[in-house]
Amino acid sequence: MAAAITRPEALIEALGLDSSLIEPARAAATAFPLRVPLSYVARMRRGDPLDPLLQQVLPLGKELNQPAAYVADPLGERETLRAPGLLQKYQGRALLITTQACAVHCRYCFRREFPYAGQTIDTPRWSAALDELARDSSIEEIILSGGDPLSLSDARLTALTDALARIPHLRRFRVHTRQPIVLPARIDDGLIAWLGRLAWPAVLVLHANHPNEIDAAVRAACARLRDAGATLLNQSVLLRGVNDDANVLVQLSTQLFDAGVLPYYLHVLDPVRGAAHFDIPEPRALEIAGELAARLPGYLVPRLVREIHGAPAKVGLTPRLPRM
Ligand SMILES: *Cc1c(COP(=O)(O)O)cnc(C)c1O
Ligand code: SF4
């Protein structure tokens, strides 16, 4: 993580791109800094400013000029905090904001402006969140989120899951992480040992948006996670200029399957400030999802969903199937 690229000029130089991209990237990076691991940059095409992996991480001048509908907290998450770092929107499952740190900064991230200060449990104060969980036996599943929970050291993860294991009504354990995709080196012996010692079978929900993100190192990391007993799922975000094309998403599903990962959700973009240029009109999203459904076995078709503030679950959108 420490070796990640964080200076726009370093990214532009590494890819042999035009230096006119540097100034706008610097300006947009003041609102949400650039961060991208070297191993992820290595999967980008040199000299191509439209590379689908680069598009996900390169700050652009247009991020600073946003329609009013694009806001800091599009999901109203600040209202769903039950304790510092503990979010609950849905019955039976709650989400812990473990850390604000990510290996990569995705420009479309709906938590890019989340007020992490005082709202993560990576401070020494976990106790309020854990007490609240212990008090409420209707919560059967805990989801580690962030930021990226695998940014925590193995020792911190172990301390956290040891504390969670003392809560008898927790029966399922889930981790939402992009690290096996963007920084597969994180899946090392220590992490595998932690997974193997957990009190529950783990579900890991990964986050890849484009087939070029899946290389041999990612496949090897996924194989190790599966050998340690984890169930692997993937969520993607439908992004203009990255994966708004059924051919790309068919390849993504196929390559995920080859890596032992099943597609779970395909999210439409949340209207977070800075991400308007990624948006795809809903009719087009339904059409892409319909084409996917027509071309893949059901278990390789991710569910197209939208997050609606106050809804009791993510809201499924009905794909528009192509005519026969
Ligand atoms: C998305 C989300 C979940 C998980 O929802 P599933 O449909 O179970 O994957 C849980 N809590 C919060 C706050 C979420 O945003
Ligand atoms: S890895 Fe996830 S939480 Fe981190 S910036 Fe990307 S989308 Fe946001």
Side-chain angles (χ1 to χ4, degrees):
M1 270 180 87
I5 290 186
T6 55
R7 289 183 311 118
E9 52 276 32
L11 178 61
I12 302 301
E13 267 164 40
L15 293 170
L17 293 171
D18 195 276
S19 58
S20 65
L21 292 167
I22 294 175
E23 210 34 61
R26 276 201 194 126
T30 57
F32 181 51
L34 166 72
R35 168 171 287 278
V36 55
L38 290 172
S39 68
Y40 193 74
V41 175
R43 288 171 249 167
M44 297 174 185
R45 291 186 293 260
R46 275 185 62 85
D48 180 0
L50 299 180
D51 177 87
L53 278 55
L54 177 67
Q55 289 292 310
Q56 296 178 54
V57 302
L58 178 67
L60 298 176
K62 50 191 161 192
E63 292 178 25
L64 299 170
N65 184 11
Q66 293 285 303
Y70 286 74
V71 297
D73 181 17
L75 306 182
E77 286 199 319
R78 271 155 237 190
E79 297 161 34
T80 54
L81 284 163
R82 287 189 55 166
L86 182 67
L87 281 175
Q88 186 182 16
K89 282 199 245 177
Y90 306 140
Q91 219 170 76
R93 50 221 199 272
L95 188 150
L96 281 173
I97 305 283
T98 53
T99 170
Q100 81 172 88
C102 287
V104 66
H105 284 177
C106 313
R107 306 314 296 176
Y108 53 83
C109 178
F110 69 92
R111 292 206 186 109
R112 52 181 284 169
E113 293 193 41
F114 189 81
Y116 285 103
Q119 296 300 357
T120 71
I121 54 155
D122 79 352
T123 60
R125 315 167 289 112
W126 296 350
S127 51
L130 291 171
D131 288 351
E132 182 70 12
L133 280 173
R135 233 190 327 265
D136 185 347
S137 62
S138 75
I139 298 177
E140 296 196 330
E141 175 169 3
I142 191 69
I143 303 171
L144 305 190
S145 182
D148 197 312
L150 299 192
S151 303
L152 297 181
S153 68
D154 298 340
R156 294 286 290 168
L157 286 171
T158 302
L160 176 57
T161 48
D162 284 352
L164 289 168
R166 289 193 284 274
I167 301 175
H169 48 267
L170 292 182
R171 319 168 53 149
R172 292 185 299 277
F173 175 77
R174 190 184 337 175
V175 183
H176 284 179
T177 174
R178 190 144 157 69
Q179 288 203 3
I181 303 293
V182 299
L183 191 63
R186 175 66 183 94
I187 311 308
D188 58 7
D189 295 344
L191 190 91
I192 294 296
W194 167 72
L195 265 182
R197 283 194 307 263
L198 289 176
W200 330 261
V203 176
L204 263 65
V205 183
L206 312 183
H207 172 183
N209 299 313
H210 192 282
N212 292 2
E213 291 174 59
I214 299 165
D215 66 0
V218 170
R219 282 189 291 273
C222 291
R224 291 199 75 185
L225 292 169
R226 276 163 47 92
D227 287 346
T231 296
L232 301 183
L233 304 174
N234 183 68
Q235 52 187 343
S236 307
V237 184
L238 191 56
L239 299 166
R240 176 187 299 277
V242 175
N243 59 10
D244 54 332
D245 173 341
N247 292 322
V248 168
L249 290 171
V250 164
Q251 273 189 51
L252 176 62
S253 277
T254 315
Q255 295 202 22
L256 285 168
F257 179 77
D258 291 344
V261 185
L262 288 179
Y264 181 43
Y265 281 144
L266 176 60
H267 297 266
V268 300
L269 186 74
D270 297 312
V272 67
R273 186 156 63 205
H277 58 287
F278 288 112
D279 191 44
I280 293 169
E282 186 164 305
R284 177 68 189 133
L286 300 180
E287 194 176 83
I288 293 169
E291 206 177 317
L292 274 189
R295 288 173 56 183
L296 288 168
Y299 59 87
L300 292 186
V301 181
R303 286 179 53 207
L304 182 69
V305 290
R306 178 187 294 287
E307 192 121 1
I308 294 180
H309 181 56
K314 306 207 195 292
V315 179
L317 305 179
T318 307
R320 200 160 70 86
L321 294 172
R323 273 178 223 269
M324 293 293 281

